[in-house]
Amino acid sequence: MLEVHDLTVRFGGITALDGVGFDVGRGEMVGLIGPNGAGKTTLFNCLTRRYRADSGTISYEGEDLTSVAPHTIASLGIARTFQNLGLFPRMSVRDNVLVGAHHRGRAGFLTAGLRLPGVRREERALRADADAVLERLGLTGVSDHPATGLPFGTLKRVELARALLGRPRLLLLDEPVNGLNAAEVEEFAGTLGAIRSEYDLTVIVVEHHMGFVMGICERIVCLDFGRKIAEGPPGEVQRDPGVIEAYLGTAVGDGDSPMRPTKEGA
Ligand code: ATP
């Protein structure tokens, strides 16, 4: 489904990604790990065309992603969530979720402005779809509540609901369990495992919580200073000496510890 080849991104003197390559097969759940500043979010930003790569290629379902317009990413079936939540605080949970369906509407500027019957039908259908996703994620009770003031764990699920409403085939999750307590992490893992097959998703998940990422992903890609230093099944990557060194000797995969490794000086 996705082939990343020799991807390099520089910011002035910093090489955020340095010749990174890996493939993701349809239906896979792949974990992207690495210490702070390793280049994980930069990679997501390339996949969603927020950043332009200096060199390298990204092929998604046979299409060259590096040359598509950024606004077409959602309609290609790629959705993401954000490390620091990308919700609109004053909008209701349902309206925040509906933002995820922006590319599914067919109405143009004029037809929407005139509120023609076709537009109202389309809005009803999208609202019904949003309500179904909200129910699936246990958010019906807060659907009319503004995003602001809701618990962090709930907001993480709202972000997931918004991404799902875009009907993605490839879902990119940036630190989905960061800030959640142990019970919430476990619940999120269960939900993600279930919706993955219900929604026929391929998932790439960036996460520092090793218990979560090693437990839920079939394959792990580890970056360090912009380079891929390891790739393989969780058990193998956890034992990889280069990965252990990158994490400054911290025992990778030690149960549920939500460790946030930091490199000296990074
Ligand atoms: P974290 O786990 O802390 O989120 P990360 O692995 O996602 O880290 P990135 O955010 O991709 O790492 O950053 C990789 C490097 O690129 C860092 O040195 C960062 O400072 C730099 N970087 C990322 N985005 C930009 C930008 N827009 N301008 C300048 N430098 C950037």
Side-chain angles (χ1 to χ4, degrees):
M1 180 179 229
L2 183 75
E3 293 171 55
V4 177
H5 181 66
D6 207 12
L7 204 65
T8 296
V9 176
R10 292 187 199 91
F11 299 105
I14 295 170
T15 304
L17 290 176
D18 191 357
V20 170
F22 64 95
D23 296 345
V24 179
R26 186 177 303 281
E28 261 195 301
M29 175 111 66
V30 174
L32 190 56
I33 66 166
N36 293 121
K40 307 177 295 296
T41 300
T42 300
L43 182 57
F44 270 15
N45 284 337
C46 290
L47 296 178
T48 52
R49 292 289 283 110
R50 288 184 121 204
Y51 290 169
R52 184 183 291 275
D54 289 288
S55 61
T57 57
I58 305 172
S59 165
Y60 165 75
E61 296 186 327
E63 187 152 5
D64 176 11
L65 263 198
T66 53
S67 61
V68 304
H71 70 272
T72 61
I73 287 295
S75 50
L76 288 174
I78 301 176
R80 76 176 287 183
T81 64
F82 291 87
Q83 199 171 326
N84 298 314
L85 298 173
L87 299 171
F88 297 97
R90 290 193 203 158
M91 270 167 52
S92 73
V93 164
R94 183 188 289 105
D95 285 345
N96 265 292
V97 169
L98 277 165
V99 170
H102 68 93
H103 61 285
R104 288 174 52 193
R106 304 249 170 274
F109 180 72
L110 195 59
T111 45
L114 294 173
R115 310 280 307 145
L116 296 179
V119 174
R120 293 203 296 271
R121 260 199 311 278
E122 185 176 285
E123 279 181 6
R124 273 199 302 276
L126 287 178
R127 272 177 81 90
D129 213 2
D131 285 343
V133 172
L134 286 164
E135 189 178 349
R136 175 62 191 85
L137 294 184
L139 293 165
T140 305
V142 293
S143 55
D144 293 317
H145 195 289
T148 185
L150 289 172
F152 194 64
T154 306
L155 295 176
K156 287 280 197 188
R157 273 184 292 137
V158 175
E159 266 230 323
L160 180 60
R162 177 165 68 185
L164 289 179
L165 200 68
R167 296 201 177 151
R169 295 188 291 283
L170 177 63
L171 179 62
L172 309 174
L173 301 175
D174 200 348
E175 301 198 27
V177 300
N178 175 31
L180 303 190
N181 65 35
E184 288 171 330
V185 171
E186 199 175 321
E187 192 191 341
F188 194 93
T191 304
L192 185 57
I195 60 159
R196 170 193 182 182
S197 48
E198 284 168 35
Y199 287 80
D200 198 15
L201 296 170
T202 303
V203 184
I204 308 180
V205 53
V206 163
E207 192 44 74
H208 286 292
H209 192 303
M210 292 298 136
F212 171 80
V213 79
M214 296 292 175
I216 200 160
C217 296
E218 290 100 38
R219 198 151 53 83
I220 305 289
V221 172
C222 182
L223 301 181
D224 188 28
F225 286 122
R227 294 215 172 116
K228 183 175 85 173
I229 59 164
E231 178 178 358
E236 217 173 84
V237 170
Q238 275 170 266
R239 287 191 299 275
D240 187 292
V243 174
I244 293 168
E245 199 195 321
Y247 279 88
L248 288 178
T250 312
V252 178
D254 57 348
D256 293 335
S257 69
M259 69 180 195
R260 205 167 225 301
T262 317
K263 276 186 119 32
E264 254 172 31

